[in-house]
């Protein structure tokens, strides 16, 4: 038995999917980006007049995406310390990994879930980072 979870406090999904799905005592989060809740604003991204990315600030996007994950976890009855697995998608591993890794270490110094980081050529919106997470609910 599973339960779909949608949060009014998290950024609206960009497709037909829930923020998370609870199955037993596991919580599976859909991909979470840095977009601001109740907005189309993406912190740390600069777009040209055609909507193409000119530049991005990975540090700003990391802080924003981690906050969005926290919101979804708490709205789902879990919390940051219950994260057990994190998959991170970066669009520019060469230039962003070190900064992302340093910010990640700030957030995960107490709880250290398993982690995989992969580079992708693009994400569905003009973002530089997206997280896919699994947590427990106790």
């Amino acid at each position: 038995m599973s339960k779909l979870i949608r949060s009014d406090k998290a950024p609206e999904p960009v497709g037909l999917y829930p923020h998370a799905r609870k199955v037993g005592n596991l919580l599976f989060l859909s991909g979470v980006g840095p977009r601001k809740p109740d907005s189309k604003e993406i912190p740390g991204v600069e777009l040209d007049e055609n909507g193409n990315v000119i530049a991005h600030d990975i540090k700003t996007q990391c802080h924003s995406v981690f906050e969005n994950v926290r919101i979804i976890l708490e709205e789902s009855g879990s919390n940051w310390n219950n994260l057990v697995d994190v998959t991170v998608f970066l669009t520019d591993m060469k230039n962003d990994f070190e900064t992302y890794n340093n910010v990640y270490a700030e957030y995960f110094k107490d709880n250290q879930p398993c982690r995989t980081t992969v580079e992708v050529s693009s994400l569905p919106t003009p973002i530089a980072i997206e997280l896919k997470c699994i947590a427990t609910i106790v």
Side-chain angles (χ1 to χ4, degrees):
M1 187 164 149
S2 69
K3 175 183 176 187
L4 299 179
I5 298 169
R6 291 178 172 79
S7 169
D8 293 336
K9 296 180 181 177
E12 184 178 331
V14 296
L16 182 59
Y17 56 87
H19 288 105
R21 180 178 281 240
K22 179 183 175 188
V23 181
N25 73 333
L26 293 177
L27 183 67
F28 299 86
L29 275 64
S30 295
V32 179
R35 196 164 29 94
K36 287 285 186 193
D38 295 323
S39 171
K40 298 291 183 194
E41 177 192 350
I42 302 169
V45 70
E46 184 181 344
L47 303 174
D48 66 15
E49 62 278 353
N50 297 319
N52 299 310
V53 176
I54 297 172
H56 68 267
D57 178 344
I58 192 63
K59 184 174 184 178
T60 299
Q61 287 199 23
C62 286
H63 288 293
S64 186
V65 76
F66 294 154
E67 175 61 17
N68 288 339
V69 167
R70 185 195 62 75
I71 289 168
I72 294 168
L73 289 168
E74 291 177 0
E75 287 281 296
S76 303
S78 188
N79 64 64
W80 194 259
N81 291 324
N82 288 0
L83 283 166
V84 295
D85 190 64
V86 177
T87 302
V88 181
F89 302 94
L90 294 175
T91 59
D92 189 348
M93 187 79 73
K94 181 180 176 186
N95 292 310
D96 292 344
F97 183 82
E98 183 177 353
T99 301
Y100 139 75
N101 202 39
N102 290 335
V103 175
Y104 185 97
E106 293 173 25
Y107 283 81
F108 289 98
K109 63 182 169 232
D110 297 325
N111 176 34
Q112 296 179 16
C114 294
R115 182 183 88 178
T116 302
T117 305
V118 296
E119 182 178 48
V120 295
S121 60
S122 67
L123 290 160
T125 58
I127 59 178
I129 184 171
E130 183 173 282
L131 269 61
K132 175 81 176 98
C133 304
I134 301 171
T136 58
I137 299 178
V138 274

